[in-house]
Amino acid sequence: MTSVTGRSAQARQAGTRAFPGSRGRGGPPPRASHAAQVRPTPVRDKRAYGRVSPRGVLAVIGVGAVIVMALWWHSTPAVSGLGGWLTGAGEILGLLCGYGVVVLVALMARLPPLERGIGTDRLARWHAMGGRYIVSIIVAHGLLIVWGYAVEAHTTVFSETASLLTQYPDVLMATVAGFLLLGVGIVSMRAARRRMRYETWYYLHLYTYLAIALAFSHQFAVGLAFINNLAARFWWSAMYLTVAVLVAWYRVAVPLRAFARHEFTVIGVKAEGPGVISVYIGGKHLDELDAEPGQFFRWRFLTRSLWWSSHPYSLSAAPGGDVMRITVKDIGDHSRALAQLRPGTRVIAEGPYGAFTAGRSDRGVVLLAGGVGITPLRAMFSTLPGPVTLIYRASSERDIVFRDELDSIAAARGAKVYYLVGLRAEIGGDPLSPRMLHSLVPGLDQQEVYVCGPSGMISAASEALRGAGVPRRQIHFESFEL
């Protein structure tokens, strides 16, 4: 039976501790490869780069929503009767929909200040949550408008619906747009996404752009806030155009420019364990990318079967001057195909992205990994200065990735690494309980903790860390479920 395991006595003398009764491994620590060399570097202060704060971004979004409400107020001198109130509520929701879809697109436009200040993981959660609200608001907007018009015209809802679709300009296109957004919302639900390939969901999600284009003109054609207000039409158009330009620049132009400048190329593929491989990507002037351990790129491998899709993979080693490494687990068609990559394959890399990077801390750092979530933490483990403790949770020994590299790094820098291996039933309890975490890391509540792994593991680990007295502000995490 596999239990919580550690290192041998010889490794403990080098700074890595073992659990009582664990199975050790004799022999000297493995010699570090080029990718595993320990290179502690000064950690950048994130504030020095002017990165935006989550609260600041939410405040700006909130101010924008208030301005939209003021636009409706300015264009609506009076509201009377049930029909007027229903129509007014529908108009407000319509304006908020038009504003909200632009915000959602901007959040995922891969703007460097947002990516580095907030992180793709959090932006994706905001985008998903906002998408649910927008779809609900769109449905309510349509129902309230039809109901309000029907009351004012003293007719039925069905008759008024037919009139709106056939007699009002661009309403039919807006209706199609609404159903497109509703469909995108349905396929983006967690239960639906589990049943489809990532590529299928991704390309269905692109219909959002078509829906926005279809709905745009009807806002000017029938929206009272814009019909006789040239200034409102100008600024509303400028908002849409600005976001469109940002999307085109950062999602198309910048990656193509980087492709030409850095000439990313696959230089090798290495098996790391059952179903896990590392891909080494070479290029020119990679130091100009300013990539940090913990960040990721979106990779598009230019082969016949892979060129049409890009996927996010974290750097699994500190970026060097001419080589980057990613490590991928076989969990789908795309990741499985990477094992067949040949040296010389050209690559388009978008990034670096993500705010899952270490800030300055003199109190020590704890890295807590689950499964293949070790990949960004492996890069951080070899570069963070000062005292570092790595805790690696895995269901079985075969699920541990980079064990030789981690042992070598720990021995070279005098760090501590713990392997918490086995199912709860086999171990006899929760290896990530507050009591266990406290026993592994004395003074845990004073240290910064970085957690990466499956969403369930992150939730359990975060709860345990809070139970161990670690303040929420000292817990940083990144999920692989974007």
Side-chain angles (χ1 to χ4, degrees):
M1 178 182 294
T2 304
S3 61
V4 181
T5 63
R7 292 284 314 281
S8 64
Q10 182 175 4
R12 291 200 303 272
Q13 295 173 0
T16 308
R17 297 166 56 192
F19 290 91
S22 64
R23 294 186 292 110
R25 296 186 301 159
R31 186 170 62 89
S33 66
H34 172 74
Q37 289 177 358
V38 183
R39 294 183 289 129
T41 57
V43 178
R44 299 171 182 175
D45 188 344
K46 298 179 182 181
R47 294 170 295 181
Y49 288 79
R51 296 176 177 175
V52 296
S53 69
R55 290 183 179 180
V57 172
L58 292 177
V60 170
I61 294 173
V63 170
V66 171
I67 293 175
V68 169
M69 297 284 289
L71 178 62
W72 173 85
W73 182 270
H74 175 74
S75 63
T76 309
V79 178
S80 62
L82 176 61
W85 283 106
L86 291 172
T87 302
E91 291 172 347
I92 292 173
L93 294 181
L95 287 170
L96 290 175
C97 288
Y99 170 69
V101 293
V102 173
V103 170
L104 293 183
V105 172
L107 290 177
M108 301 306 291
R110 300 172 190 171
L111 308 179
L114 297 182
E115 293 286 343
R116 289 179 175 252
I118 299 175
T120 304
D121 188 36
R122 181 179 291 181
L123 289 173
R125 292 197 300 273
W126 287 2
H127 180 84
M129 180 180 65
R132 290 190 289 270
Y133 284 120
I134 291 300
V135 170
S136 300
I137 291 174
I138 288 173
V139 173
H141 160 69
L143 294 176
L144 288 171
I145 288 291
V146 172
W147 188 9
Y149 280 24
V151 170
E152 291 184 329
H154 304 287
T155 186
T156 65
V157 169
F158 296 104
S159 176
E160 189 61 33
T161 299
S163 297
L164 285 171
L165 292 176
T166 58
Q167 300 177 19
Y168 284 73
D170 300 330
V171 170
L172 179 59
M173 288 197 304
T175 302
V176 174
F179 279 107
L180 281 175
L181 290 174
L182 179 61
V184 170
I186 292 173
V187 300
S188 296
M189 295 174 63
R190 184 170 298 180
R193 284 194 61 181
R194 289 198 189 106
R195 290 170 170 79
M196 67 177 63
R197 298 168 60 213
Y198 170 83
E199 292 83 3
T200 303
W201 169 83
Y202 177 82
Y203 282 102
L204 287 175
H205 207 73
L206 292 181
Y207 279 102
T208 299
Y209 295 112
L210 175 60
I212 294 173
L214 290 174
F216 179 77
S217 61
H218 109 283
Q219 299 177 74
F220 288 172
V222 298
L224 294 179
F226 302 109
I227 291 178
N228 298 314
N229 191 335
L230 182 61
R233 293 164 71 97
F234 172 80
W235 288 110
W236 199 260
S237 299
M239 177 179 67
Y240 274 71
L241 181 60
T242 299
V243 172
V245 170
L246 290 174
V247 169
W249 178 254
Y250 285 108
R251 299 191 69 159
V252 179
V254 169
L256 291 178
R257 184 181 63 176
F259 175 72
R261 169 65 174 169
H262 300 291
E263 300 181 8
F264 303 109
T265 306
V266 173
I267 61 177
V269 177
K270 175 187 175 184
E272 301 288 358
V276 180
I277 56 102
S278 286
V279 180
Y280 292 81
I281 296 101
K284 299 179 180 179
H285 317 293
L286 298 188
D287 56 311
E288 296 177 2
L289 295 171
D290 200 26
E292 300 180 50
Q295 291 187 308
F296 70 94
F297 287 74
R298 295 182 182 272
W299 307 91
R300 187 185 301 271
F301 297 92
L302 302 184
T303 68
R304 180 176 300 178
S305 61
L306 298 176
W307 68 269
W308 51 275
S309 64
S310 66
H311 284 247
Y313 297 118
S314 299
L315 297 175
S316 61
D322 56 358
V323 178
M324 295 186 291
R325 185 181 75 176
I326 60 173
T327 301
V328 182
K329 185 176 182 179
D330 179 1
I331 56 175
D333 294 342
H334 186 274
S335 53
R336 188 176 304 116
L338 297 186
Q340 307 303 319
L341 288 173
R342 296 180 179 180
T345 301
R346 300 299 300 276
V347 186
I348 296 177
E350 304 174 48
Y353 296 132
F356 190 66
T357 55
R360 291 176 179 170
S361 176
D362 299 326
R363 298 171 296 182
V365 173
V366 176
L367 307 177
L368 181 52
V372 79
I374 187 63
T375 51
L377 299 183
R378 154 63 183 86
M380 296 167 67
F381 190 42
S382 65
T383 56
L384 283 170
V388 181
T389 301
L390 172 64
I391 301 174
Y392 193 168
R393 176 76 176 102
S395 299
S396 64
E397 291 281 354
R398 67 194 302 269
D399 293 325
I400 297 178
V401 185
F402 302 135
R403 183 158 194 162
D404 288 343
E405 291 187 17
L406 298 174
D407 291 347
S408 179
I409 292 169
R413 63 175 300 162
K416 300 173 183 177
V417 58
Y418 301 102
Y419 301 101
L420 311 185
V421 183
L423 302 176
R424 290 192 181 189
E426 297 173 331
I427 296 174
D430 182 4
L432 295 180
S433 66
R435 181 184 61 82
M436 176 64 80
L437 292 175
H438 257 309
S439 68
L440 297 178
V441 189
L444 174 63
D445 58 331
Q446 300 298 315
Q447 303 190 39
E448 300 289 330
V449 184
Y450 295 84
V451 187
C452 188
S455 59
M457 174 265 179
I458 289 178
S459 299
S462 298
E463 183 177 350
L465 289 167
R466 293 298 307 280
V470 181
R472 189 184 301 273
R473 67 179 180 277
Q474 293 171 210
I475 302 173
H476 317 275
F477 60 86
E478 181 172 72
S479 172
F480 282 172
E481 299 181 2
L482 298 184

